[in-house]
Amino acid sequence: MTSDTRTFRVGVLGHGTVGSAFASLLPVHADRIERMTGLRPELSGVMTRSRGSFDDILEGSDLIVELIGGIEPARNYLLRAMRAGRHVVTANKQLLSQHGEELWDAARDNNVQLRFEGAVAGVVPVIRVLQESLAGAIIDRVHGIVNGTTNYILTEMARTGMTFDQALAEAQRLGYAEADPSDDVNGRDAAAKMAIIARLAFDTPVHLDQVRYEGIEHVQPDDLEYARDLGLELKLIGTAERVGDGLSVRVHPIFLYPGHPLATVGGPFNAVTVESEAITEITMSGPGAGGPQTASAVLGDVISAMIPPASTPPTSSVLEIVQDVVSAFYLHLEVADEPGVLAQVAQVLALQGVSVKSVVQKGLGDQARLVMVVHPVLESRFAGAMGMIAGLDVMRTPPRAIRVLEEEFG
Ligand SMILES: NC(=O)c1ccc[n+]([C@@H]2O[C@H](COP(=O)([O-])OP(=O)(O)OC[C@H]3O[C@@H](n4cnc5c(N)ncnc54)[C@H](OP(=O)(O)O)[C@@H]3O)[C@@H](O)[C@H]2O)c1
């Protein structure tokens, strides 16, 4: 360091998986960052539950990195830091998907930067691309595999025939799933990330509560086996798309045809596809989580904050959030192996306006399996058909359904 070098003091809240990786990474890159920015980054303090004082760290820092997670006290610390004129960086998707507007308002009101690349898809630069590179495109739709844990589980179930529980145990053994994986497997983690993506892509407020989500806990190995016969790949996909004058944001398992850019994204990887008339389609993919990977995204944000300016603009419109959308479905029925069953099922489907695209039928003693893919239909109509099918005497187990993305790419 030369005598006239100015320092840029970085205070870190949280010293867990990401916080400790970030604290180790910063000094390693200090020389390079100093050459890039003319400022030398320096760790000014670290806070956990048992060490450090927020007031002291705030006082001695130019920028605060929040890696505590959850809503409070993270929200309070970020607001206080911005009101005190500090730039802030966070990887906290729970907080941004529920209190984003309050935080972005605070950043604008106090003329500071709030950066959060690590909150969505780990090191894949989705936020920056949406906020900066694609600022000139009108986005029609975003699809994302934004949860690495569930993508790993589905990949392993399809590859090995394991059950959901076995694949989850394997993910935990390899460190891809936390001890409590509930928010990953039930889709809530992906829903939080899609709320943030939708907010940026469509420039409208989106709260986590407005995102419909389903998880992968109920996926059976034989769903994946049949899917293979039909040439389909199962993924937990988040979707944010314009529907009429509104916006639909949702997360659920869905079958993809092999040409779709997300169909080949396997293991714990994340990927996001952005569709717009101006750019056709762009897909970004890479490691979705992990301490060092997320810390690298956080460090990128710190460096960006050292080279001003960039901020999240205020929303320019409020779009209606649409709940009922059109989707194709895979339908799995365990039925009595007797004449006329297919006709009964077909009649119910026809009554609800559901038309069948392809059917696989297999006999199993006095029972048979009817596996079919139906053409796109309004989800409420399909749900009506499912309710009626469940009530048929010939059904041996409750019907199972998974969405199918009908489009073929490339
Ligand atoms: N892990 C990942 O791969 C990943 C990926 C993307 C984004 N993220 C996000 O990054 C953030 C941090 O995740 P993580 O996995 O690093 O969490 P973590 O391992 O659980 O670490 C959390 C840290 O915050 C501290 N902390 C908790 N409550 C606190 C409080 N009230 N006051 C002060 N410190 C407190 C903990 O202190 P103690 O040590 O005293 O308990 C711990 O050092 C979360 O928002 C998460 O969603 C994580």
Side-chain angles (χ1 to χ4, degrees), residues 139-156:
I139 294 169
D140 299 315
R141 180 161 64 173
V142 183
H143 275 138
I145 294 175
V146 290
N147 182 277
T149 306
T150 45
N151 204 50
Y152 173 82
I153 291 172
L154 292 176
T155 306
E156 284 308 285

Side-chain angles (χ1 to χ4, degrees), residues 9-27:
R9 301 160 305 163
V10 180
V12 182
L13 312 179
H15 198 252
T17 307
V18 185
S20 61
F22 175 77
S24 308
L25 201 61
L26 189 67

Side-chain angles (χ1 to χ4, degrees), residues 14-18 48-49 67-69 73 91-94 118 289-290 294:
H15 198 252
T17 307
V18 185
T48 67
R49 263 180 282 237
L67 296 168
I68 293 174
N92 193 331
K93 60 232 156 196
Q94 298 95 336
T294 309

Side-chain angles (χ1 to χ4, degrees), residues 29-89:
H29 290 266
D31 286 346
R32 190 174 62 85
I33 296 170
E34 185 184 335
R35 284 196 299 275
M36 282 164 64
T37 65
L39 295 170
R40 187 170 184 83
E42 193 179 272
L43 209 56
S44 51
V46 173
M47 185 188 174
T48 67
R49 263 180 282 237
S50 53
R51 73 166 152 134
S53 131
F54 176 71
D55 289 322
D56 290 349
I57 291 177
L58 181 61
E59 181 60 34
S61 303
D62 299 302
L63 179 149
I64 297 290
V65 173
E66 183 276 308
L67 296 168
I68 293 174
I71 305 297
E72 294 296 356
R75 171 180 159 275
N76 179 35
Y77 289 157
L78 284 176
L79 288 171
R80 282 171 61 191
M82 289 190 281
R83 286 173 190 149
R86 308 298 192 273
H87 299 307
V88 294
V89 174

